[in-house]
Amino acid sequence: MNFKKITTIVLIITCLSCEDYLEILPEGQENSETYFNSQSDYEDALVGVYDLLSTTYLNNILGEIASDNSLCGGESPTDVLDWQQIDNMTHTPDNNALRNIFQWMYAGISRANYIVEFQDNIDFDGKDKLLAENLFLRSYYYSELVKFFGDVPLYVDGRISIEDSQSIDRTPKAEVYAQLESDLLLAIEDLPWQQNQNGRVTKGAALALLGKIYLYQDKFPEAASTLDQIVVSGQYQLVEDFGIIFLNSNENNQESVFEVQHFGGEGGGFGCFQCVEGNVAVGFMGPRFTGGNFGPFTSGFSFNPPTQEIYNAFTADDERRDASILSMDAFVAERPSVTFNFGNTDDYTGFYNKKYIPYAEANAGDANLTHSNNYRAIRYSDVLLMAAEAFNRSGLNDVKARNYLNLVRDRAGLEDVETSGSNLTQDILLERRLELVGEGHRFFDQVRTGQTNSIPGFTDKNLLFPIPRIEIELAGNRWPQNPGY
């Protein structure tokens, strides 16, 4: 399969606001009801499910902008107003960025459901593994929706028609999570630890997502047991040098549990962000270089600048600080020829997200949108810290929790911690912030652990984002809005 591009494939791209099924049929191809007649048909359809992972760039950048890790940035205080509102916690049900997340995740779910609807058409070698990959991807998209919106319509038997959309209610998130737990437990049985192609779902990825879903529900014993299976498997190792984890030359490394593949050779533009195969967020986050020798980097749109506070949260001997956050003052001091534009002066901090900084490359289309940096969706260090939190907060084993935490700290060049109980909990949560800064997890970690006081403008209603108003209207005004919106 080609994960960089959808080739001859029937795409049934449906969402709850569609007028009907949108069918994209190659010339001479069967219609959507008679498509699944060979193994390659299923494989091509699965490529379509993977393809929507490219749209999660928006989920990831907003997970930082909404948190206390960064500001919105951009060219001015009104540049990409939807993002500015989320940064200021003034977003409403009419925020188009939130509608994009809602639509794009449901598009991925609908593609997965298309395979589910016709999964019994034929049998072939490897079918169980293919269906397991599909269940993981559907679970991934649903888990993103629940993180943002809470209760969401759950539909798992097939595609969602316009008639269905008028009768499906929002499902309580506990029921959605229960479905995802069931699906992932099935998927784990049929997934291998290793795949022969980068980016394909593995047993480790499914265990990690299941463990994360348990953690988000405070099911700490279940999370501990699930995540520990990954650790004891010996399938993953921390990359010794933190500074090379996010280089484009070090993608799909030994620490990668699940990695979204991006490709700079496909064109794309501002008219269709979901069509772009590159990592859109990367070009948005780069500094606004205007001259001098700033290689190997290239210019961007200066969004998502880390704050002075998160920079200061690192100790001077923490090897992750300068590998995670680019200090423009330090950079220019080493390269006096470099010039740049501050962009939005209200949000200029002097810092940029170095993990996902744009590199100069021969990418096609609009170069700001098609950078090839893969998104490290789940890293082994994340698994270790989730496992540490689960063992600690369950009361099961603080010794093991400390050991897992200290593996991450040792790699960063820091001394071991010796705390236990609630003090250890706070050490683990701080370590998650430092280890995963810039990777899109911070806001949701703050919400699930009740540490939202440091988010400017945050009120209780911001525990969830609003359901897009137009989606409620298109569903017949049957869905209740989230409280406070």
Side-chain angles (χ1 to χ4, degrees), residues 181-482:
E181 291 170 15
S182 176
D183 287 347
L184 287 168
L185 286 168
L186 286 174
I188 287 164
E189 294 180 3
D190 293 315
L191 286 168
W193 283 106
Q194 300 288 334
Q195 291 271 25
N196 58 9
Q197 189 173 16
N198 287 333
R200 294 187 67 161
V201 177
T202 63
K203 187 185 297 290
L207 284 165
L209 182 58
L210 178 60
K212 187 174 185 177
I213 286 170
Y214 285 141
L215 199 65
Y216 269 64
Q217 300 173 85
D218 290 351
K219 294 182 175 180
F220 300 122
E222 295 90 338
S225 174
T226 301
L227 294 163
D228 210 37
Q229 293 180 57
I230 304 172
V231 181
V232 300
S233 75
Q235 294 290 323
Y236 305 98
Q237 300 293 327
L238 295 176
V239 173
E240 184 175 350
D241 180 0
F242 187 91
I244 68 171
I245 295 173
F246 294 91
L247 296 178
N248 285 5
S249 58
N250 197 27
E251 295 177 333
N252 303 299
N253 56 55
Q254 65 190 27
E255 189 168 331
S256 177
V257 179
F258 183 56
E259 189 161 321
V260 177
Q261 310 296 299
H262 287 287
F263 180 50
E266 280 288 312
F270 284 87
C272 185
F273 284 120
Q274 67 269 39
C275 305
V276 179
E277 300 298 328
N279 190 335
V280 173
V282 170
F284 274 85
M285 291 190 286
R288 292 176 177 265
F289 291 119
T290 56
N293 175 22
F294 47 81
F297 310 131
T298 190
S299 192
F301 296 141
S302 67
F303 282 91
N304 195 31
T307 64
Q308 183 74 53
E309 189 271 332
I310 182 57
Y311 186 82
N312 292 344
F314 290 92
T315 58
D317 57 345
D318 193 325
E319 297 175 10
R320 296 171 298 191
R321 186 190 68 181
D322 294 339
S324 302
I325 299 174
L326 176 71
S327 167
M328 188 58 78
D329 286 346
F331 189 71
V332 172
E334 293 178 355
R335 306 187 189 196
S337 67
V338 170
T339 58
F340 65 99
N341 188 317
F342 284 7
N344 179 6
T345 55
D346 289 350
D347 284 358
Y348 179 71
T349 65
F351 302 111
Y352 297 89
N353 185 344
K354 194 173 181 181
K355 289 179 176 177
Y356 292 105
I357 195 167
Y359 289 93
E361 56 183 328
N363 45 334
D366 190 311
N368 288 106
L369 304 182
T370 56
H371 286 287
S372 62
N373 310 50
N374 283 359
Y375 175 62
R376 281 70 164 171
I378 306 174
R379 293 194 289 120
Y380 183 53
S381 61
D382 187 4
V383 170
L384 287 171
L385 292 173
M386 287 193 292
E389 181 183 342
F391 277 110
N392 165 249
R393 296 183 70 186
S394 65
L396 288 172
N397 195 328
D398 270 2
V399 173
K400 182 173 281 192
R402 276 195 303 273
N403 288 342
Y404 289 169
L405 168 62
N406 286 330
L407 285 174
V408 177
R409 289 179 59 83
D410 291 346
R411 196 257 300 271
L414 303 176
E415 295 181 357
D416 288 353
V417 300
E418 301 294 341
T419 52
S420 59
S422 60
N423 290 331
L424 179 56
T425 304
Q426 294 309 309
D427 286 338
I428 293 167
L429 297 181
L430 173 60
E431 208 63 35
R432 281 191 62 80
R433 185 184 187 189
L434 300 176
E435 174 71 20
L436 302 172
V437 63
E439 299 180 47
H441 306 297
R442 175 61 178 168
F443 176 76
F444 303 104
D445 275 349
Q446 290 185 274
V447 167
R448 71 178 180 82
T449 59
Q451 296 188 321
T452 55
N453 290 341
S454 57
I455 302 175
F458 188 94
T459 63
D460 285 347
K461 76 173 185 178
N462 301 127
L463 291 168
L464 293 172
F465 290 97
I467 300 292
R469 186 191 312 277
I470 192 170
E471 300 297 335
I472 293 177
E473 293 173 353
L474 290 167
N477 289 306
R478 299 175 63 255
W479 301 342
Q481 181 56 271
N482 282 331

Side-chain angles (χ1 to χ4, degrees), residues 16-19 99 103 162 165-166 468-477 479:
L16 298 184
S17 61
C18 292
E19 290 299 320
R99 190 188 182 203
Q103 288 185 305
I162 187 63
S165 72
Q166 299 298 303
R469 186 191 312 277
I470 192 170
E471 300 297 335
I472 293 177
E473 293 173 353
L474 290 167
N477 289 306
W479 301 342

Side-chain angles (χ1 to χ4, degrees), residues 139-155:
S139 299
Y140 189 86
Y141 295 130
Y142 263 125
S143 68
E144 290 293 306
L145 285 168
V146 174
K147 280 195 325 185
F148 275 86
F149 304 109
D151 303 347
V152 293
L154 177 66
Y155 201 81

